[in-house]
Amino acid sequence: MTPQQQNGTELGRFLRARRARVPLEAVGLTAGSGLRRTPGLRREELATLAGISIDYYVRLERGKETRPSASVVDSLARALLLEDDELEHLRSLAARAARSAPEPPAAPSRTVRPAVKLLLESLRPQPAHVVSRTNDLLAANPGGLRLLPGIEEWPVRERNIARYLFLHPASRDLFHDWNTQVRGCVARLRALAGTDPDAPDLTRLAGELLVKSPEFARLWERYDINGHSHGRKTFHHPEVGDLTLGYQSMELEGSPGHRMVTYYTEPGTADHDAMVLLDMLGQEQPAKRTPADNGLAAAEDDPTSPLA
């Protein structure tokens, strides 16, 4: 048995996680009188619903079978009640499992193009920042950095929004719906883990958070992959008070894995006034830097300085 089979595959882990979350009544089954030691569907129940043999499904979940056909994947998706984006994720996992040798992960880039930094500055007073595929905070305008109180006190290399959500003491009070925010954050990381599980930036971050945050560990095991790219967030900010902002996340072409997140609100409202004040406060107090950060800046642009 190969190491991959011993540890299972992302495909197998995804199937196990989703199987455990299917209510019996949703697929026309009843619990019966026997003791069920695990929630959701048993392996044999899922195999029957999908129209495949129990032995084949067990081999698929354990990583011994790595080449399911498209029809098998679609049948499993129907039995698991997957939504469209979850089905696409399952197909991606199946395709990756079928490769004889995994492709080496691409080295993540932290370099933000000067044009993108100028764009961040032009968006003021709207808070905006650029993040990597694992939510490293790579660049921000004054309001975009000040929106996350206390993160500027961390060294540049440690400024990560997922790390902030789970480990910074200010985050739980900052977000009105902290639980929703962390679920979306973990879902985005889980989706990346499915298609690039060996990515060094992901393994470092997930490994740290699994050890330091029980909440992260619990959500990681759920294997949700439905993140959010737009909507509204309410902040209880210690400097400007309560404000509700719309947000939009956009992939940056020409910068693989980078996203720009921009916040906005209607002019003439109290939320807009608070947003303007946030921008002013961010401009008045530049981000703190550590000696290690100053050495890093000699080799690359300051990730949190819009015009560096």
Side-chain angles (χ1 to χ4, degrees):
M1 183 178 294
T2 66
Q4 181 187 48
Q5 291 170 348
Q6 291 174 342
N7 298 328
T9 62
E10 278 299 313
L11 175 60
R13 284 188 279 272
F14 180 75
L15 290 172
R16 283 195 297 274
R18 305 313 292 186
R19 175 168 60 83
R21 295 180 58 185
V22 177
L24 295 181
E25 59 274 14
V27 292
L29 299 178
T30 57
S33 57
L35 177 65
R36 300 184 72 92
R37 291 178 295 178
T38 57
L41 297 174
R42 293 169 173 160
R43 291 191 180 101
E44 58 268 24
E45 291 169 339
L46 177 55
T48 299
L49 289 169
I52 60 179
S53 73
I54 296 173
D55 178 68
Y56 181 85
Y57 177 75
V58 171
R59 291 175 60 82
L60 191 63
E61 193 172 280
R62 290 179 176 175
K64 298 178 182 179
E65 171 57 53
T66 60
R67 296 182 180 274
S69 67
S71 61
V72 166
V73 170
D74 289 347
S75 295
L76 287 169
R78 286 192 293 270
L80 291 169
L81 309 178
L82 299 187
E83 298 180 359
D84 289 345
D85 53 351
E86 294 169 328
L87 169 58
E88 290 305 312
H89 186 71
L90 178 60
R91 288 172 175 167
S92 297
L93 294 180
R96 186 180 190 279
R99 292 200 289 265
S100 58
E103 298 175 359
S109 172
R110 294 180 58 91
T111 302
V112 178
R113 289 181 287 120
V116 174
K117 294 183 178 182
L118 286 171
L119 182 57
L120 285 173
E121 182 70 7
S122 71
L123 288 170
R124 296 177 59 191
Q126 280 79 228
H129 45 241
V130 173
V131 296
S132 71
R133 61 183 183 176
T134 55
N135 281 325
D136 287 330
L137 186 61
L138 303 180
N141 62 19
L145 186 63
R146 199 70 171 209
L147 190 61
L148 303 174
I151 199 171
E152 78 282 353
E153 298 174 357
W154 285 357
V156 169
R157 284 283 185 175
E158 294 181 11
R159 294 174 193 169
N160 176 284
I161 293 178
R163 183 180 288 114
Y164 180 85
L165 281 169
F166 285 100
L167 301 183
H168 199 288
S171 70
R172 291 177 186 266
D173 294 329
L174 176 65
F175 293 96
H176 179 72
D177 54 349
W178 182 84
N179 288 323
T180 300
Q181 300 304 317
V182 296
R183 284 197 301 269
C185 178
V186 175
R188 184 176 289 276
L189 293 176
R190 243 321 181 181
L192 174 60
T195 56
D196 199 358
D198 300 321
D201 49 338
L202 175 64
T203 55
R204 283 193 299 268
L205 177 65
E208 176 190 358
L209 295 179
L210 283 168
V211 170
K212 296 181 179 179
S213 172
E215 294 94 341
F216 179 87
R218 176 178 58 81
L219 291 171
W220 189 252
E221 289 304 313
R222 285 176 58 87
Y223 218 127
D224 289 328
I225 60 165
N226 296 322
H228 300 285
S229 61
H230 64 279
R232 297 178 67 80
K233 295 182 184 182
T234 296
F235 301 84
H236 304 299
H237 201 278
E239 295 178 302
V240 301
D242 293 352
L243 69 164
T244 299
L245 303 176
Y247 72 93
Q248 178 68 54
S249 173
M250 298 161 281
E251 300 289 338
L252 291 175
E253 294 187 6
S255 300
H258 291 190
R259 289 179 293 118
M260 179 179 290
V261 183
T262 304
Y263 294 87
Y264 59 90
T265 191
E266 291 289 336
T269 64
D271 289 330
H272 188 271
D273 292 342
M275 187 177 68
V276 172
L277 177 57
L278 192 67
D279 177 74
M280 293 172 59
L281 292 172
Q283 180 66 20
E284 290 173 359
Q285 293 187 344
K288 297 179 181 178
R289 300 180 62 85
T290 67
D293 292 336
N294 288 329
L296 177 65
E300 66 179 21
D301 291 337
D302 178 358
T304 54
S305 175
L307 296 176

